[in-house]
Amino acid sequence: MSDVVEKTLTALPSLFDSQTGAAKISNRLKQLIKSITELTSKHDEESLIKQELSAMKEQVSAPSTSMKQMREIMVRSMYCEMLGYDASFSYIHAIKLAQQGGVMEKRVGYLAVSLFLSEGHELLLLLVNTVLKDLQSTNLIEACMALTVVAQVFPKDMIPAVLPLVEDKLSHPKEIIRRKAVLALYKFYLIAPNQVQHIHAKFRKALCDKDPGVMTSSLHIYLQLIQESPDAYKDLTGSFVTILKQVVGGKLPLDFNYHSVPAPWLQIQLLRILSLLGRDDQSTSELMYEVLDESLRRAEMNHNITYAILFECVKAVYTIHPKAELLEKAARCIGNFVLSPKINLKYLGLKALTYVVQHDAKLALQHQMTIIECLDHSDFTIKRETLELLFRITNAQNVSVIVEKMLDFLRSCSDEHTIIHLAGKVAELAEKFAPDNSWFIQTMNDVFSIGGDLLQQDISNNFLRLLAEGSESKEEDDQLRLYAVDSYLTLLNGDASHLPQRFIQVMSWVVGEYSHLQECVDQSEVIRLLMKLLEQKSVSSETRVWILSALTKISDGQTDLILELAESISSSQDTILRQQAHELRHLSLDSKLHEWVLPRGAAWDDMEVDSSLSFLDGFVSEALAAGAAPYKPPHQRQEELCEQRALNLEPYSFSLPVSLSSCSITDRHSPTLLSVSSGLSGNSTELSQKAGASTLILEGVKRVWGKDGYLPQKETAVTASPVDEPSAAVQPVGQQEAAERLEPQPEPSTQTNDKQQLASSLFVGLSTQSSTSLLGKSEAPPPRFRKKPRPHGSSLSSSSSSGTSEKSSSSRTSHNTTDSFLYGSLLEEEPAGFDHTPKSITANGLGQNKDVKEDRRTNTSQILGSDMVIVRPNTIQHNPSTSSDLTTLLPADLKDLPHSDVISLTSDPSLSVSSCRVFRDEALLLVIFISNSTETDIRDVAVQLNCDQLETVSLRGNIVDCLEGRSVSVCHYALLMDDPHTNVSFTGSVSYQIQPGHTNTLSFSGTLSTADFIRPLVVTTDEYGKLWLSLSHDVKQNLKLLTDAGDPLQTTLNALKDTLQLHIVDIIGSEGIVACRLLSGAPCLLHCRVNGSALAMWLRSPLPALPDCILYHCQRALAQH
Amino acid sequence: MQFMLLFSRQGKLRLQKWYVPLCDKEKKKITRELVQTVLARKPKMCSFLEWRDLKIVYKRYASLYFCCAIEDQDNELITLEIIHRYVELLDKYFGSVCELDIIFNFEKAYFILDEFLLGGEAQETSKKNVLKAIEQADLLQENLDFQIRLLPAST
């Protein structure tokens, strides 16, 4: 306790005398507080409070205790709870106090309830009647208190009971009651949106309330509603604009001023609402330009509150449909933030920049020196935000500098959340932009050793998958693998005791799989290294399993060493290790078997796994004949156990322990062990399926295998960048051109040299990124590491540019002369001029290429003309249109159907090919757009699509005799999927003639997922029940439950429904049933139950592979959510 | 807003208001970690902090730290001003407020907070209106108090 407190404490007695009666009652509290402050040790405090609590406990249960005393006790128990002691015995009395006490007791009682009980506490049910009574009370204060408590904690199920009363309060004469009622309804909306659906009209009335306080409160609801469905509230834009105009114009009573700024909270709320309404909507945005301009202009005072408004304004300006004039002003505003000496404002400036660079990367260029200063700032928060900003502007040229900065930060960071977050970002950048193999492996090594076991599992999984699946060129893949092996062997040769478990697992897998690529290292040496690892005490048993499976793979021909090892482990406590040792021994004794089970260096897709374990049928029938009990899957066993043990009221429950146990077993499996164990020791289909399902965390490796053997998996989405990142739109050619234009500083002499160098290496490639990123979602960057073949065109351009860009960035860093400001204005004035500027500077070959690309872009916009659909609000009007605009070219009968974004498949100088998936009820339509990028006609265009796993029902428009210059031809294929596959790839080609007799071919490829072939199955709960019983193949799995908003089950199911076109049949309590069908007709039923923090999902379908596929997509959908 | 904490320079909790349902254990853990983190920061550092998946906005007034947790899309500066407005309200109510006022009258501090923020959102931003509501409730309370004390005397 500080001196001041000490002094005042001595003066306390006199203080008490001067206080009113209310204070006297809480004398006991004062004594308590006083005696606590006098104590010196935590232990004394503990015993004092314990004493106090037991005294109180006695007192509350004594019948003679008056309400007044009870109130005093309640205050004391609140105090004890605040100090962290348990006073739960008083909870029930708090409710009693609220129920029985007079107004003053009630007030304390309600306060105690709202502090003690959180949403969902069972005692809250006892409060309902009291609240009902008080809501009907004529006493204003009582009604206020009831509304206050309702708006804080109220049992969800009891909302219907109070709803009519709260609704009535909306027309209460007193504004304080109306205000609280609005907020109570807001709370109801948050916890149970369905309950308040019918009163939306009343919300509108609240919005028009004459009292500004009530109106402000109603905006909370509107912000929430508009966030969820902006389209439904577009008609209110005018009202919001008018309100904001009035507020900004100072029309509100002066009471609402805060430091002479009119109602800043209201302004900010309105700005947020407007930005949501104006997003993606030009006409709505136009309504608000004026008021935004006004807000920007008015907020000029140098006070935090005006900056708060400015910040929100800037965000709004960049979110809604862009207007050049406003953007310019907003950009200037950001400058004020960034350059401010006040650290809070600087932070917000960085935050604003991080938001804005997604739309306009050159703003970062303007502030590069400030950004670099912030990078070395002593404040952790500033540093971290700066790295976030850098992450957004990373491209292939500055990646190594930025990643290095991030790693530096990580090394000095101790906060777990930050490490997990940033390490993930580094891994993402490394995978996306790695300049070469050695850098990539080195960076991933750093990520693994710094992030350690905190890292999210999918980082290592993605990394391993990347190595395992490789790209189109086997040679390149092997080089990468070889590099990884070399690097790991060096690490393992050193002191490996400090390495994180996750890293050792990755290393042992890679070494086990690929060490044979390194011919100059003796396998026995590798075995020795791995065995050395096994001996270390610090290595966990999970890691041991990984190491052992690696040893199993390379044990061929080293029988002596291995037998010895197997011997030593076969007495291990760990059953899994023991089992593996056993297998290891068998395999090393029988080299033929070894060869067959673990073929060295075999491609992944050549392997076949008999997951039904049919080869064991003989063994099983023998055992059964000999009297063995028939096999029961673990969940069934557990269920029976449960039934025996206790009352089980839930019909479908398969309890948590099951899934836990099955997970824990399988989690220990290394990815490759799976195949071994299912081949050798697995004695049940169920187990291996289960194992497969829950080792999903090892997605990359495991999911390659399905019931039908290899599942072709071209999908790169897991590793590919999310579309909204600014860098996502970087095109290699663009970067090249950017490098030319980079400039460090308007006045180089004022800055130190190394900062400049850092600047030029950090901000290299930014200026054109700005122009390309404005294209919106057009194309994901070609990641350096691609899993499977991609369209020729883009792969060519990516490899050529990444080669040259490396050289160019290094030579260009120090001496650049072009002025970015100059360039910036150029860009904004005339997009046409943009084409000419770079020509003179760009290297010849690439320049050519780039021009073609630019041409293509400008001309698509010409074709589309006024029909242009704005895909993102942030695209600046005059920018070249995106390929997504092609959706307008969909045939009229398809336009209204749900469809995906248009993805560019491939292009060459004369043609570009894009595709779009249209979800028709009876089939998937793959629409292919062929755009002629030249002025001249192209003849005999023919599209050929191949996909073995899909059935083509019909096709239209695949042959065009003459495609005129600058026009687009559309053809579509109706596809069906008969056998479920998680992902299906298609390939195809377009042949065409520019000159008669000379045929060119342009090939393309793409991926479709099961999700595309799934449609909702509308059934009633009864039908569902019947169907459920008739289906046989079932799969169970625990999934992640989304808990971020509202009811977790509802949220999760809605998220699944949105991504996967499912039909939610019914939700009963903590269970939900969902149905869907494959286009060919096979249904799949999903039964979901909330199980602690997980969602237990049980799928049934007549097709064995369908549940697996759907489960996979569900997991992906939830992971991405 | 997710929650608001008031704690002293010594790390003693003075007020806690949770607007999201959390179990006690979690609340204690958050409080402990957060108090440590905030107290470790130097005075010149910025008032914002990324912590777990939340944004923490804090400000020190004399010996007391006011600390709010908001979500990422919320405006940090306005949250800082919410804290300031709350301090202004306390100041007006207690008459140049000090830590002791809050220690000894923490239930009053809660009443004021509940009139100002409800369910994590700003309820009433007019200083006059908030204080009027509090005073009305106080007045009623004291009248009743008065009556109760009179009652035994009159009988």
Side-chain angles (χ1 to χ4, degrees):
Chain A
M1 208 31 64
S2 65
D3 295 347
V4 192
V5 181
E6 221 60 73
K7 249 181 245 167
T8 329
L9 281 174
T10 52
L12 267 181
S14 59
L15 199 80
F16 293 155
D17 292 343
S18 65
Q19 299 241 333
T20 54
K24 269 185 196 152
I25 294 173
S26 50
N27 255 346
R28 286 291 307 267
L29 172 74
K30 307 228 145 131
Q31 277 164 16
L32 173 68
I33 296 172
K34 194 167 169 242
S35 31
I36 286 178
T37 49
E38 280 163 1
L39 297 175
T40 44
S41 77
K42 181 85 189 158
H43 180 75
D44 290 347
E45 181 190 297
E46 225 163 86
S47 56
L48 180 78
I49 301 259
K50 284 243 169 78
Q51 215 179 318
E52 189 77 22
L53 283 172
S54 61
M56 283 196 285
K57 205 169 183 174
E58 214 164 281
Q59 227 179 333
V60 286
S61 43
S64 59
T65 311
S66 72
M67 278 294 145
K68 207 164 79 179
Q69 284 168 316
M70 198 66 110
R71 183 179 94 191
E72 188 274 319
I73 295 171
M74 212 44 71
V75 176
R76 262 191 292 155
S77 55
M78 279 190 255
Y79 188 76
C80 293
E81 283 252 318
M82 186 159 69
L83 291 179
Y85 299 91
D86 175 51
S88 49
F89 66 87
S90 59
Y91 294 175
I92 184 79
H93 297 280
I95 290 179
K96 242 162 110 186
L97 196 65
Q99 192 177 353
Q100 297 165 358
V103 178
M104 46 201 278
E105 284 84 27
K106 227 178 229 313
R107 199 180 178 200
V108 174
Y110 273 135
L111 175 65
V113 166
S114 69
L115 289 177
F116 289 158
L117 308 180
S118 59
E119 223 169 280
H121 198 289
E122 48 190 2
L123 282 179
L124 274 179
L125 282 177
L126 298 175
L127 193 72
V128 175
N129 267 329
T130 318
V131 167
L132 277 176
K133 201 181 81 202
D134 286 337
L135 279 178
Q136 285 161 305
S137 160
T138 48
N139 185 332
L140 193 71
I141 306 284
E142 283 183 342
C144 271
M145 290 191 294
L147 283 172
T148 309
V149 85
V150 161
Q152 298 189 66
V153 281
F154 199 72
K156 192 169 145 191
D157 304 336
M158 297 312 277
I159 290 176
V162 292
L163 193 58
L165 288 173
V166 178
E167 261 178 77
D168 282 350
K169 299 286 182 220
L170 285 178
S171 41
H172 197 276
K174 275 286 182 192
E175 58 272 3
I176 184 170
I177 299 277
R178 294 203 300 274
R179 201 174 66 209
K180 284 184 192 278
V182 168
L183 282 168
L185 290 175
Y186 169 62
K187 173 79 178 179
F188 292 168
Y189 179 77
L190 288 183
I191 56 178
N194 297 332
Q195 311 259 23
V196 289
Q197 250 164 10
H198 61 289
I199 38 178
H200 282 195
K202 292 196 173 158
F203 292 157
R204 293 207 178 203
K205 218 180 122 214
L207 181 65
C208 307
D209 201 285
K210 60 180 187 297
D211 179 69
V214 182
M215 188 259 290
T216 312
S217 306
S218 74
L219 291 184
H220 297 307
I221 300 180
Y222 276 106
L223 182 63
Q224 195 67 31
L225 289 171
I226 291 171
Q227 225 156 29
E228 280 154 26
S229 54
D231 290 335
Y233 299 90
K234 297 272 181 190
D235 57 319
L236 286 175
T237 316
S239 317
F240 292 128
V241 168
T242 319
I243 299 173
L244 184 56
K245 253 184 211 157
Q246 288 177 349
V247 176
V248 175
K251 298 276 176 6
L252 284 189
L254 286 179
D255 287 348
F256 290 89
N257 278 11
Y258 177 85
H259 295 260
S260 48
V261 175
W265 281 273
L266 182 52
Q267 286 198 41
I268 284 178
Q269 205 75 353
L270 284 167
L271 285 170
R272 288 176 72 180
I273 289 179
L274 287 181
S275 68
L276 288 172
L277 286 171
R279 165 181 247 148
D280 284 317
D281 186 341
Q282 185 171 1
S283 57
T284 312
S285 298
E286 273 162 8
L287 295 174
M288 50 188 90
Y289 288 149
E290 192 192 329
V291 74
L292 286 177
D293 193 34
E294 175 95 2
S295 294
L296 278 175
R297 200 158 46 79
R298 290 254 184 177
E300 55 203 1
M301 217 182 47
N302 191 13
H303 186 276
N304 262 349
I305 198 74
T306 46
Y307 283 113
I309 297 173
L310 274 181
F311 180 75
E312 214 59 52
C313 257
V314 167
K315 253 171 95 177
V317 167
Y318 272 95
T319 312
I320 62 168
H321 186 85
K323 185 185 180 194
E325 190 191 327
L326 278 177
L327 288 174
E328 204 179 296
K329 284 184 185 168
R332 221 176 303 140
C333 253
I334 295 180
N336 288 342
F337 274 102
V338 175
L339 297 173
S340 165
K342 287 187 186 160
I343 189 149
N344 286 346
L345 298 184
K346 205 179 261 305
Y347 171 80
L348 281 185
L350 289 172
K351 196 180 157 187
L353 270 183
T354 312
Y355 184 74
V356 162
V357 285
Q358 300 175 46
H359 313 310
D360 186 359
K362 74 179 190 313
L363 265 179
L365 270 181
Q366 288 177 15
H367 299 295
Q368 43 181 304
M369 283 334 268
T370 321
I371 294 173
I372 285 168
E373 274 159 25
C374 290
L375 205 52
D376 294 324
H377 204 282
S378 55
D379 192 344
F380 187 80
T381 312
I382 299 276
K383 250 184 174 171
R384 189 177 156 175
E385 191 62 37
T386 314
L387 289 176
E388 193 74 38
L389 172 60
L390 289 181
F391 170 75
R392 302 280 170 116
I393 58 168
T394 311
N395 56 40
Q397 290 153 61
N398 58 17
V399 64
S400 46
V401 193
I402 288 181
V403 163
E404 196 187 307
K405 287 279 162 199
M406 289 169 102
L407 288 173
D408 280 348
F409 180 80
L410 275 175
R411 284 188 193 103
S412 64
C413 169
S414 57
D415 178 55
E416 266 184 35
H417 284 262
T418 314
I419 292 180
I420 296 172
H421 179 83
L422 263 186
K425 294 207 154 154
V426 173
E428 187 184 329
L429 290 180
E431 201 166 299
K432 216 170 6 176
F433 299 116
D436 55 59
N437 288 342
S438 63
W439 183 88
F440 178 65
I441 297 294
Q442 199 51 52
T443 306
M444 288 311 285
N445 284 356
D446 286 339
V447 168
F448 285 125
S449 46
I450 296 172
D453 298 322
L454 292 173
L455 283 187
Q456 265 157 354
Q457 182 84 48
D458 61 342
I459 293 181
S460 48
N461 293 340
N462 282 343
F463 175 70
L464 290 185
R465 171 158 69 180
L466 201 130
L467 286 179
E469 290 186 352
S471 59
E472 56 260 55
S473 143
K474 176 140 173 36
E475 208 172 299
E476 266 177 43
D477 295 343
D478 280 347
Q479 263 175 14
L480 178 65
R481 291 165 185 161
L482 190 61
Y483 195 88
V485 170
D486 282 347
S487 149
Y488 295 158
L489 289 180
T490 324
L491 272 173
L492 290 178
N493 258 320
D495 175 23
S497 58
H498 61 279
L499 293 173
Q501 301 299 313
R502 186 73 54 73
F503 194 17
I504 299 183
Q505 292 166 10
V506 168
M507 288 198 284
S508 42
W509 189 86
V510 172
V511 168
E513 204 68 30
Y514 301 116
S515 66
H516 64 87
L517 292 174
Q518 178 55 283
E519 278 147 10
C520 46
V521 174
D522 188 12
Q523 290 291 308
S524 63
E525 173 64 15
V526 178
I527 293 180
R528 194 188 56 77
L529 281 174
L530 288 176
M531 281 166 68
K532 200 178 87 190
L533 271 184
L534 273 180
E535 281 158 20
Q536 276 177 24
K537 287 249 176 340
S538 58
V539 171
S540 74
S541 58
E542 186 192 345
T543 312
R544 277 171 213 271
V545 175
W546 283 75
I547 301 172
L548 259 189
S549 16
L551 278 168
T552 315
K553 282 177 228 164
I554 53 175
S555 61
D556 201 14
Q558 305 287 339
T559 324
D560 295 346
L561 269 174
I562 291 299
L563 281 181
E564 196 180 313
L565 174 75
E567 194 59 39
S568 68
I569 296 179
S570 57
S571 57
S572 159
Q573 297 262 324
D574 192 310
T575 46
I576 294 176
L577 274 180
R578 239 160 51 204
Q579 177 191 325
Q580 262 198 310
H582 195 64
E583 286 165 10
L584 183 58
R585 202 162 56 84
H586 267 283
L587 286 175
S588 59
L589 286 176
D590 187 344
S591 64
K592 228 179 198 163
L593 183 65
H594 189 278
E595 180 83 5
W596 185 64
V597 175
L598 297 165
R600 172 166 296 186
W604 286 95
D605 30 358
D606 294 345
M607 278 201 219
E608 268 177 34
V609 169
D610 180 5
S611 67
S612 69
L613 306 183
S614 56
F615 54 88
L616 284 171
D617 286 350
F619 176 78
V620 171
S621 54
E622 252 173 55
L624 283 175
Y631 174 73
K632 281 177 191 159
H635 60 87
Q636 198 182 338
R637 263 179 280 165
Q638 193 70 29
E639 256 165 36
E640 283 170 13
L641 259 178
C642 284
E643 277 162 27
Q644 284 163 11
R645 213 181 291 143
L647 283 175
N648 186 12
L649 300 172
E650 287 167 324
Y652 291 122
S653 81
F654 54 103
S655 58
L656 192 62
V658 190
S659 28
L660 276 185
S661 67
S662 65
C663 284
S664 59
I665 293 172
T666 47
D667 276 352
R668 289 194 187 148
H669 285 285
S670 71
T672 41
L673 174 67
L674 256 183
S675 56
V676 182
S677 66
S678 58
L680 281 176
S681 57
N683 54 359
S684 84
T685 330
E686 183 66 30
L687 182 66
S688 75
Q689 270 175 8
K690 224 27 206 211
S694 40
T695 359
L696 235 206
I697 12 168
L698 300 168
E699 244 169 40
V701 194
K702 190 261 134 196
R703 272 287 156 189
V704 180
W705 306 100
K707 291 226 162 111
D708 306 316
Y710 179 67
L711 293 177
Q713 201 160 24
K714 278 190 23 170
E715 190 71 47
T716 53
V718 181
T719 46
S721 63
V723 199
D724 58 349
E725 253 119 47
S727 38
V730 185
Q731 282 153 7
V733 191
Q735 291 154 8
Q736 174 63 28
E737 156 201 355
E740 322 282 313
R741 221 173 271 124
L742 175 103
E743 54 75 56
Q745 270 292 299
E747 290 170 310
S749 57
T750 55
Q751 299 292 342
T752 54
N753 230 351
D754 46 341
K755 276 200 174 169
Q756 262 182 38
Q757 259 176 8
L758 180 58
S760 44
S761 45
L762 276 178
F763 297 94
V764 70
L766 268 196
S767 43
T768 26
Q769 191 179 340
S770 72
S771 64
T772 43
S773 70
L774 283 168
L775 290 174
K777 310 180 176 177
S778 57
E779 274 167 84
R784 182 181 151 76
F785 298 107
R786 255 169 294 113
K787 311 257 147 69
K788 295 277 146 151
R790 273 285 176 99
H792 290 229
S794 73
S795 76
L796 268 177
S797 65
S798 82
S799 55
S800 64
S801 85
S802 63
T804 28
S805 62
E806 268 173 65
K807 273 180 254 148
S808 57
S809 64
S810 55
S811 63
R812 220 169 268 121
T813 39
S814 46
H815 41 84
N816 273 308
T817 44
T818 339
D819 189 317
S820 80
F821 294 98
L822 181 63
Y823 171 60
S825 55
L826 261 180
L827 198 118
E828 284 190 353
E829 272 163 21
E830 239 313 89
F834 178 52
D835 269 348
H836 306 300
T837 10
K839 259 188 200 159
S840 50
I841 350 173
T842 1
N844 35 16
L846 279 160
Q848 206 76 41
N849 193 353
K850 185 205 70 63
D851 284 344
V852 172
K853 275 209 164 185
E854 287 305 331
D855 272 344
R856 187 161 57 85
R857 253 181 242 135
T858 25
N859 85 59
T860 24
S861 65
Q862 276 164 10
I863 302 164
L864 298 168
S866 56
D867 275 341
M868 197 161 101
V869 172
I870 307 303
V871 181
R872 285 178 68 174
N874 26 49
T875 46
I876 289 181
Q877 242 165 317
H878 58 238
N879 258 284
S881 73
T882 67
S883 56
S884 315
D885 301 337
L886 289 166
T887 45
T888 48
L889 294 174
L890 282 174
D893 53 328
L894 302 182
K895 243 177 204 161
D896 295 325
L897 293 170
H899 58 78
S900 68
D901 291 335
V902 175
I903 313 159
S904 170
L905 291 173
T906 179
S907 64
D908 67 9
S910 31
L911 277 185
S912 67
V913 179
S914 321
S915 78
C916 166
R917 289 160 290 145
V918 178
F919 307 106
R920 258 211 327 231
D921 254 333
E922 75 297 341
L924 175 79
L925 284 191
L926 184 68
V927 180
I928 294 174
F929 301 95
I930 303 148
S931 344
N932 184 348
S933 317
T934 60
E935 294 291 350
T936 49
D937 296 356
I938 294 179
R939 302 201 165 269
D940 292 324
V941 181
V943 184
Q944 178 83 33
L945 186 80
N946 309 312
C947 183
D948 302 336
Q949 288 135 322
L950 297 174
E951 186 190 337
T952 309
V953 186
S954 70
L955 70 143
R956 199 185 300 164
N958 67 326
I959 294 176
V960 181
D961 288 339
C962 172
L963 185 61
E964 286 172 11
R966 306 256 172 261
S967 69
V968 179
S969 147
V970 181
C971 80
H972 53 85
Y973 287 83
L975 300 172
L976 283 183
M977 184 187 263
D978 284 330
D979 295 320
H981 297 276
T982 12
N983 288 307
V984 169
S985 50
F986 61 84
T987 54
S989 59
V990 184
S991 59
Y992 62 93
Q993 296 188 355
I994 302 179
Q995 295 152 344
H998 185 77
T999 308
N1000 295 347
T1001 329
L1002 179 62
S1003 41
F1004 59 86
S1005 67
T1007 322
L1008 297 168
S1009 79
T1010 344
D1012 297 324
F1013 295 91
I1014 284 178
R1015 297 291 177 271
L1017 177 66
V1018 184
V1019 289
T1020 64
T1021 313
D1022 288 346
E1023 288 164 0
Y1024 181 96
K1026 279 178 202 147
L1027 198 54
W1028 177 265
L1029 292 175
S1030 68
L1031 299 179
S1032 52
H1033 296 279
D1034 61 355
V1035 172
K1036 289 183 183 184
Q1037 173 86 37
N1038 275 0
L1039 297 183
K1040 193 177 104 184
L1041 196 58
L1042 299 176
T1043 46
D1044 43 342
D1047 177 34
L1049 181 63
Q1050 186 89 44
T1051 323
T1052 316
L1053 290 185
N1054 282 341
L1056 290 177
K1057 187 181 128 197
D1058 291 345
T1059 8
L1060 272 167
Q1061 307 208 48
L1062 307 174
H1063 172 67
I1064 300 179
V1065 182
D1066 207 348
I1067 294 181
I1068 311 157
S1070 64
E1071 295 185 37
I1073 50 178
V1074 181
C1076 65
R1077 66 182 167 92
L1078 196 64
L1079 274 176
S1080 55
C1084 180
L1085 303 183
L1086 294 84
H1087 174 266
C1088 316
R1089 199 166 64 86
V1090 178
N1091 194 351
S1093 61
L1095 183 73
M1097 193 176 267
W1098 189 353
L1099 300 96
R1100 278 192 176 183
S1101 167
L1103 288 182
L1106 188 56
D1108 269 327
C1109 293
I1110 290 180
L1111 195 58
Y1112 171 76
H1113 286 288
C1114 286
Q1115 273 170 331
R1116 288 245 338 244
L1118 292 180
Q1120 281 168 2
H1121 195 78
Chain B
M1 191 183 293
Q2 304 241 342
F3 57 84
M4 187 180 207
L5 301 176
L6 259 70
F7 50 87
S8 69
R9 224 173 42 193
Q10 290 76 29
K12 285 252 192 261
L13 197 58
R14 296 296 177 214
L15 207 74
Q16 54 171 344
K17 188 83 193 177
W18 302 83
Y19 296 110
V20 284
L22 287 171
C23 68
D24 281 349
K25 215 174 126 195
E26 186 67 19
K27 284 182 191 173
K28 275 184 200 161
K29 195 172 163 227
I30 291 178
T31 313
R32 201 176 47 238
E33 281 181 30
L34 206 55
V35 166
Q36 253 176 24
T37 320
V38 170
L39 287 179
R41 288 179 63 83
K42 299 192 181 73
K44 281 277 155 68
M45 288 185 166
C46 85
S47 309
F48 318 125
L49 193 62
E50 265 161 76
W51 186 79
R52 298 202 188 172
D53 48 351
L54 292 175
K55 190 72 65 74
I56 303 296
V57 177
Y58 71 93
K59 189 158 184 191
R60 184 177 157 182
Y61 288 88
S63 56
L64 265 189
Y65 282 88
F66 289 69
C67 175
C68 294
I70 53 173
E71 275 139 84
D72 198 46
Q73 71 272 19
D74 289 333
N75 189 315
E76 289 91 348
L77 277 179
I78 199 83
T79 314
L80 213 51
E81 295 313 300
I82 282 186
I83 294 179
H84 189 71
R85 172 49 47 112
Y86 181 48
V87 175
E88 280 180 0
L89 287 168
L90 291 171
D91 195 63
K92 190 98 185 207
Y93 182 83
F94 289 107
S96 82
V97 68
C98 68
E99 190 183 343
L100 273 179
D101 289 317
I102 295 174
I103 300 176
F104 287 109
N105 298 291
F106 70 92
E107 82 276 21
K108 297 263 171 56
Y110 276 122
F111 290 141
I112 298 173
L113 186 61
D114 280 351
E115 282 305 317
F116 175 45
L117 299 174
L118 192 53
E121 304 285 352
Q123 175 193 181
E124 177 59 79
T125 54
S126 148
K127 193 149 74 177
K128 202 179 83 189
N129 288 353
V130 174
L131 290 172
K132 207 168 77 189
I134 290 289
E135 272 155 22
Q136 271 174 352
D138 279 356
L139 203 64
L140 192 70
Q141 188 159 342
E142 257 154 51
N143 282 344
L144 276 171
D145 225 11
F146 185 63
Q147 282 167 11
I148 288 165
R149 269 184 287 135
L150 278 184
L151 273 176
S154 61
T155 47

